Amino acid sequence: MADRWALAPAEDGGVDIAPLGPDGLPSGPVRREADPAEAVRSRPGVSRWVWRSTAEVYPRLLAAGVRAERCYDIEAAETLLLGHEGRYGEPRSAAAALARLRGGPVPPDPRQRSAEPGSQSSLFEPQGVQLPLPDLLAVYAEQQRRHESAEHPDRMRLLTAAESAGMLVAAEMNRAGLPWSAEVHRALLHDLLGERYAGGGEPRRLAELADEVSAAFGRRVRPDLPADVVKAFSQAGVKVASTRRWELESVDHPAVKPLIEYKKLYRIWVAHGWSWLQDWVREGRFRPEFLAGGTVTGRWVTNGGGGLQIPKVIRRAVVADPGWRLVVADADQMEPRVLAAISRDPGLMEVAGRESDLYQSVSDRAFSGDRAQAKLAVLGAVYGQTSGDGLKNLAALRRRFPQAVAYVDDAARAGEEGRLVRTWLGRTCPPAARGTDDAAEEAGIPSGSVAPEDGDQPGTGAPWVPGYASTNARARGRFARNFVVQGSAADWALLLLAALRKSCAELAAELVFFQHDEVIVHCPEEETEAVVAAIREAAALAGRLTFGETPVRFPFTTAVVECYADAK
């Protein structure tokens, strides 16, 4: 039996399947199977399934208890290839790819549907235009040719395989859900917000804080309306431009303390209050819809539920099942380690290969033992803080690690000049900025998105996309500087997940959460040691696969806990 098969859903609910040869062309007849799950289950020797969209096919298989070992996601590949060719933003569907191949009119992509609170029904709805299997294979063959034309074909093929693996992981995480105690969540809300009033109005604690704010100003003020607060400060002789926390903290006024507390609790009430709990938690699981590769850098997003923005206090509700544990793993200083690997800077690779703390090692070399200064310098080089103290820190870093700094400097220059900028594996930064909402939407980030916790303060972690904050060349240069590091880290993380998924398949353990540099595995207590070891091995393997043989290590800090909040 061929180890690679193509699969295309048919209009009657069945699937058309065919074995593929080494050239990607059918090596046998196309067969119609009435049951998609049985078609896959009955072919255990197939190591990779080629299909249009994992989000379309795989949830149906998982619902039937069928797991795919590997896949090739044609629409995920099309997105990567279009970006690599400098055509980011063009329609990415298989139907669009077929139209381009045949010189016909290119249809727009269907709009992304919204996840439905409390259910997975949206995961089973048809997405996009179905293509007959011969048409799908024509697109697949053309994609293989385009991979060969990439700047680094082997890396590009690896990136596509990693992105496809990420799609499988996301679907499995959507199916598993994050363990969640509604009882604990309700108790937290009561402790933080007080009693709920009839009619859906603000809970007691928010009402009390609103009264304190009004009393401080000597008139009725709505703390949930920024314009009202700014006006009240102005009438009190205090000039503020916004109600962002970092700005309020610089103001000496009795309204500041209750106002900041109100804002923090108001965000919890709106984003993770009783209504959220009712909408998104069912049968002890929170199931946001994870979208692999949801941003231009390759970072993931969630479609509904704010799954990547769980406040620290609410993490107390993330509780393992009885007899099970959560293995929470954080990658240690991932971005500077990635910079060492992609720049091939001998000094930084040597530092990143030590057992000791990376920032402390950098500080011993370049900043007289001042770890805080070293951390600011490294992150400033990655994120583009090149003025004031940042410029001085960058100069010190450049003297010790010239190749690393030159790497991000070159990326920034290319970005400013409008040239294509790529991650190590070939994920490509969009060639030019466009309108704010368009760029944000294409990256999978709703306009106005903020980072968790103190997301209204600049520089706290909200993803930046071209056009989202500024459209000038300098801003694009800063983004490109960060893109080569953050995007390469996202590529590495995909291979980490793929390796960890393979290890977990041999256990009862299940991947239940992932964001940027953190992963959570839910497993029986007796499997925790095996899971911790699997994470360590997966990180090392991902480093070798992504960047080749380098001295750079990618260690994780792991915690085995019953409650997510206890891992911090």
Side-chain angles (χ1 to χ4, degrees):
M1 178 183 291
D3 66 352
R4 186 170 37 162
W5 283 62
L7 179 154
E11 292 183 359
D12 62 2
V15 289
D16 290 331
I17 61 173
L20 301 179
D23 56 2
L25 297 175
S27 60
V30 175
R31 308 177 190 180
R32 172 66 56 87
E33 299 274 354
D35 183 350
E38 185 58 31
V40 175
R41 183 187 289 114
S42 62
R43 292 169 176 83
V46 177
S47 64
R48 176 173 284 131
W49 288 91
V50 176
W51 51 49
R52 180 180 71 82
S53 168
T54 304
E56 173 201 28
V57 175
Y58 200 38
R60 296 169 62 190
L61 301 182
L62 291 174
V66 176
R67 180 182 182 277
E69 182 179 342
R70 290 188 294 173
C71 78
Y72 179 100
D73 188 306
I74 283 177
E75 293 191 344
E78 189 67 16
T79 302
L80 294 172
L81 288 166
L82 286 172
H84 194 277
E85 294 158 358
R87 300 158 64 190
Y88 183 88
E90 292 188 23
R92 57 176 289 273
S93 70
L98 181 67
R100 281 189 291 265
L101 176 60
R102 295 182 174 171
V106 177
D109 287 339
R111 292 190 64 84
Q112 178 179 302
R113 79 271 187 269
S114 297
E116 296 181 10
S119 76
Q120 296 188 73
S121 60
S122 65
L123 298 179
F124 300 94
E125 296 173 359
Q127 304 172 39
V129 178
Q130 301 287 356
L131 292 186
L133 190 58
D135 288 346
L136 200 67
L137 290 178
V139 172
Y140 175 62
E142 175 63 8
Q143 287 185 345
Q144 302 313 296
R145 186 197 64 76
R146 290 160 68 193
H147 277 87
E148 288 301 319
S149 301
E151 185 175 357
H152 296 286
D154 288 344
R155 294 186 195 175
M156 194 65 193
R157 281 192 292 267
L158 178 60
L159 176 62
T160 299
E163 193 87 331
S164 296
M167 300 290 175
L168 294 175
V169 173
E172 290 169 1
M173 285 170 50
N174 293 337
R175 180 75 186 172
L178 183 64
W180 200 281
S181 170
E183 181 181 359
V184 171
H185 192 150
R186 281 190 286 266
L188 282 170
L189 294 176
H190 184 273
D191 290 345
L192 292 169
L193 303 173
E195 293 81 12
R196 303 169 69 185
Y197 294 143
E202 291 184 342
R204 176 180 55 80
R205 182 57 183 148
L206 284 179
E208 291 172 351
L209 289 167
D211 288 343
E212 290 182 37
V213 171
S214 295
F217 284 118
R219 71 171 182 83
R220 187 64 184 168
V221 175
R222 289 277 304 274
D224 58 324
L225 298 179
D228 201 18
V229 174
V230 170
K231 181 179 179 181
F233 273 119
S234 178
Q235 291 175 342
V238 178
K239 185 178 181 180
V240 295
S242 71
T243 60
R244 293 184 177 93
R245 194 185 77 169
W246 62 271
E247 186 167 1
L248 292 177
E249 287 177 338
S250 67
V251 173
D252 183 14
H253 190 278
V256 169
K257 184 176 179 181
L259 182 57
I260 290 176
E261 181 69 9
Y262 178 95
K263 283 167 56 67
K264 181 180 72 174
L265 294 180
Y266 183 83
R267 180 174 295 183
I268 290 173
W269 177 52
V270 171
H272 290 91
W274 291 278
S275 295
W276 180 94
L277 180 60
Q278 182 176 353
D279 285 344
W280 290 100
V281 176
R282 288 285 187 279
E283 300 175 350
R285 291 292 186 275
F286 166 43
R287 291 187 176 89
E289 185 182 347
F290 287 95
L291 301 177
T295 70
V296 294
T297 61
R299 283 189 176 186
W300 288 24
V301 297
T302 57
N303 181 19
L308 301 186
Q309 299 182 3
I310 305 173
K312 291 181 180 178
V313 65
I314 299 298
R315 294 174 188 174
R316 181 62 56 187
V318 182
V319 180
D321 292 345
W324 287 52
R325 295 293 182 268
L326 301 172
V327 180
V328 183
D330 274 315
D332 296 335
Q333 303 152 342
M334 180 173 68
E335 287 177 332
R337 295 178 186 279
V338 167
L339 176 57
I342 61 180
S343 68
R344 296 307 207 246
D345 184 290
L348 192 57
M349 283 197 297
E350 191 273 328
V351 165
R354 294 181 184 179
E355 296 286 341
S356 58
D357 175 76
L358 183 146
Y359 292 126
Q360 188 60 55
S361 297
V362 170
S363 72
D364 292 342
R365 285 197 170 202
F367 296 93
S368 303
D370 188 335
R371 184 185 184 279
Q373 199 77 357
K375 183 175 181 179
L376 285 174
V378 173
L379 295 181
V382 172
Y383 287 96
Q385 185 186 0
T386 55
S387 61
D389 288 342
L391 185 62
K392 181 177 66 176
N393 291 338
L394 191 63
L397 199 68
R398 183 177 284 111
R399 285 193 294 271
R400 286 293 187 179
F401 309 108
Q403 209 163 309
V405 176
Y407 194 93
V408 288
D409 283 347
D410 289 345
R413 190 177 306 110
E416 290 180 9
E417 295 171 358
R419 292 184 278 129
L420 296 178
V421 179
R422 310 191 197 283
T423 65
W424 184 258
L425 292 186
R427 190 185 303 272
T428 307
C429 175
R434 293 186 293 166
T436 299
D437 291 337
D438 288 346
E441 185 176 346
E442 284 173 12
I445 304 168
S447 183
S449 287
V450 294
E453 303 300 321
D454 302 323
D456 54 1
Q457 181 176 352
T460 56
W464 189 93
V465 295
Y468 197 64
S470 171
T471 58
N472 61 44
R474 186 175 180 184
R476 187 173 186 277
R478 285 196 300 271
F479 177 67
R481 171 188 293 274
N482 176 235
F483 178 88
V484 294
V485 179
Q486 188 183 103
S488 295
D491 298 346
W492 167 83
L494 285 171
L495 289 166
L496 162 81
L497 289 173
L500 185 55
R501 173 181 181 262
K502 184 176 181 180
S503 296
C504 287
E506 301 172 0
L507 306 168
E510 53 188 9
L511 274 161
V512 293
F513 186 79
F514 167 69
Q515 65 169 355
H516 180 43
D517 58 357
E518 181 180 54
V519 64
I520 300 179
V521 177
H522 185 226
C523 66
E525 185 174 7
E526 61 271 16
E527 289 184 0
T528 55
E529 289 187 10
V531 170
V532 170
I535 292 170
R536 182 174 61 249
E537 293 164 5
L541 176 60
R544 292 194 300 273
L545 289 175
T546 308
F547 307 114
E549 293 293 341
T550 74
V552 179
R553 296 175 61 252
F554 294 92
F556 272 82
T557 296
T558 56
V560 178
V561 294
E562 292 184 59
C563 172
Y564 183 18
D566 293 337
K568 302 294 181 181

